[in-house]
Amino acid sequence: MNGSVNSVNREPNFDLAEHVLAQSRSDFQGLKKLGDKSLAQLPEAGFRWRPEPESNNIAIIINHLHGNMLSRWTDFLTTDGEKPGRNRDAEFEDDDAPSSELLAKWEQGWAALLGTLTTLTPDDLLRTVTIRGEAHTVVQAIHRQISHYGYHVGQLVYAAKAYRSSAWQTLSIPKGGSNAFNAAKGTGTAERHKS
């Protein structure tokens, strides 16, 4: 087994709580990056396009994420994650906001989330917060939102890719490109059998 994979976890001063916070920030930033790269490929019409009539378009997904992020991450440690002023149902109604306004909401939501995460300390991870009156540890609340946002960013990426079709610029390894990618990284099949 390659010793470098787990070497970080075996350092004597390794702090698990710090690692959880750092990894959570990294996971959220990764989701935002996927969304950013997808949104950058869209013309104005792409924000309203639906793969089928019952699907949410990208504008609705952004509005929902914005509402959820502001509600969950504002006064995160001190108030319920479902704020009284939030109108969740309205997040799923189509509106005529231009892409510039939608992108501003996208950035505002992520800024609220990432700004709050930077203020959390290891001592906060086992504190109790509530979401709709249900108690969660901070670490549970973080992971609940990683899962939720991953679900919706996945929808956003899918819709953007479907809209762009053959003009889509892949966000990861292109189809049929795994062997070349692995060879370039030195992680191909032959390399793995040497270790």
Side-chain angles (χ1 to χ4, degrees), residues 1-7 195:
M1 180 160 146
N2 185 341
S4 65
V5 173
N6 291 320
S7 61
S195 52

Side-chain angles (χ1 to χ4, degrees), residues 74-92:
T74 301
D75 301 324
F76 174 69
L77 292 174
T78 57
T79 63
D80 192 278
E82 188 67 10
K83 303 296 183 284
R86 181 184 182 198
N87 185 351
R88 184 182 180 278
D89 291 338
E91 296 164 13
F92 292 93

Side-chain angles (χ1 to χ4, degrees), residues 42 49 51 56 58 61 154-164:
L42 291 176
W49 181 83
N56 291 323
I58 288 172
I61 294 168
Q155 291 175 323
L156 187 153
V157 172
Y158 172 78
K161 182 177 180 180
Y163 178 81
R164 295 288 292 163

Side-chain angles (χ1 to χ4, degrees), residues 23-129:
Q23 187 60 51
S24 297
R25 285 190 297 271
S26 177
D27 289 345
F28 282 122
Q29 288 164 342
L31 290 173
K32 182 179 187 300
K33 186 176 178 180
L34 286 174
D36 288 343
K37 288 184 174 183
S38 299
L39 295 170
Q41 296 188 49
L42 291 176
E44 190 72 31
F47 286 81
R48 304 285 172 201
W49 181 83
R50 298 169 191 262
E52 52 86 30
E54 291 301 311
S55 293
N56 291 323
N57 62 32
I58 288 172
I60 287 173
I61 294 168
I62 290 173
N63 281 327
H64 173 56
L65 286 171
H66 173 258
N68 182 279
M69 288 173 175
L70 291 185
S71 187
R72 296 291 186 267
W73 298 99
T74 301
D75 301 324
F76 174 69
L77 292 174
T78 57
T79 63
D80 192 278
E82 188 67 10
K83 303 296 183 284
R86 181 184 182 198
N87 185 351
R88 184 182 180 278
D89 291 338
E91 296 164 13
F92 292 93
E93 295 172 5
D94 223 338
D95 61 26
D96 296 327
S99 61
S100 59
E101 186 177 316
L102 293 166
L103 292 172
K105 285 183 170 183
W106 172 260
E107 293 298 333
Q108 183 185 32
W110 286 104
L113 183 167
L114 295 169
T116 295
L117 270 185
T118 62
T119 68
L120 298 179
T121 68
D123 291 338
D124 292 324
L125 288 181
L126 295 180
R127 287 179 63 176
T128 299
V129 295

